Amino acid sequence: MIATTARPFSLGIDTVVKLSAVDCAALRSEGMRFAIRYLGSIDAHELATILGSGLAFMPVTYAKAYNGMSAVGRIRSLCIPEGATVWLDLEGETDPPGAIVAKVNAWAGQIIAGGYEAGLYVGAGCVLTSEELYGLRVTRYWDSCSRELDRNGKATAPKCDFCVTQLRPFNTIVGGVTVDVDVVQRDVLGRLPTWVTT
């Protein structure tokens, strides 16, 4: 397993569905090149299945999973090499903005200290402003297919823009699997996420 820079314009999926070898083969046949799955759900067998099918992989936390040390432990238990992008799912948060910033930064600090790249999924209900997003300790951003408005009713996006974008519609069927489809792209600083391959 190696961590390597993702290829721009690659299509992939994120899903809560546990992927089988048949699922992965079907996704590959539909043009998908990577899968994003949830820490705490994916196990070593499924990860081996994903990578063995030729799909690249990136992990994401569940929403409000701010324990970076726990995330690093799960990542290491899967033998994911250092340097890989680990995504924090930020959505449905009801805490004040300052508390959210503090929690995201603490999580990112623990991920970075573990040797990984901290990324943020900017999901539905994100109340942080564009400036607050860009000021976080994360260095990669993933745009959800929902339209995010900050607490002032303005569209929110970090100044560097996103390096993964989730496409509409969400919860679509690809290769017989319920997924969201994503595309990799360079952000305005030229950055790409780092995925895991064999």
Side-chain angles (χ1 to χ4, degrees):
M1 218 181 311
I2 59 170
T4 185
T5 303
R7 293 182 181 170
F9 312 117
S10 297
L11 288 174
I13 60 95
D14 65 275
T15 184
V16 297
V17 175
K18 188 174 182 71
L19 298 174
S20 68
V22 171
D23 295 332
C24 292
L27 291 167
R28 283 277 297 169
S29 72
E30 293 286 343
M32 301 299 110
R33 294 297 172 254
F34 66 93
I36 300 174
R37 287 278 289 117
Y38 288 87
L39 291 172
S41 172
I42 190 168
D43 58 25
H45 180 266
E46 183 185 0
L47 178 56
T49 298
I50 290 168
L51 295 174
S53 75
L55 291 170
F57 172 77
M58 289 183 283
V60 63
T61 70
Y62 285 107
K64 302 182 183 180
Y66 293 108
N67 188 330
M69 292 178 69
S70 175
V72 168
R74 290 180 188 275
I75 295 161
R76 288 184 175 156
S77 74
L78 294 169
C79 299
I80 293 173
E82 291 185 6
T85 302
V86 181
W87 299 101
L88 173 67
D89 184 348
L90 180 63
E91 60 184 316
E93 184 57 78
T94 56
D95 281 352
I100 298 169
V101 167
K103 289 190 291 187
V104 172
N105 282 339
W107 175 88
Q110 292 169 331
I111 295 297
I112 293 164
Y116 299 94
E117 195 171 75
L120 186 70
Y121 173 82
V122 183
C126 178
V127 298
L128 299 183
T129 65
S130 297
E131 293 76 19
E132 288 166 338
L133 280 176
Y134 189 61
L136 294 170
R137 289 194 68 190
V138 301
T139 57
R140 302 294 185 275
Y141 296 87
W142 171 14
D143 190 18
S144 77
C145 63
S146 59
R147 184 166 181 263
E148 298 86 33
L149 299 176
D150 67 18
R151 62 188 177 276
N152 304 313
K154 295 182 178 178
T156 185
K159 184 168 65 174
C160 60
D161 210 3
F162 300 95
C163 63
V164 178
T165 297
Q166 196 175 63
L167 305 178
R168 293 182 182 89
F170 65 91
N171 287 338
T172 191
I173 305 295
V174 178
V177 185
T178 302
V179 300
D180 294 325
V181 177
D182 304 278
V183 62
V184 170
Q185 60 203 13
R186 294 184 189 278
D187 68 15
V188 298
L189 300 176
R191 300 178 302 191
L192 292 160
T194 303
W195 59 27
V196 175
T197 60
T198 53

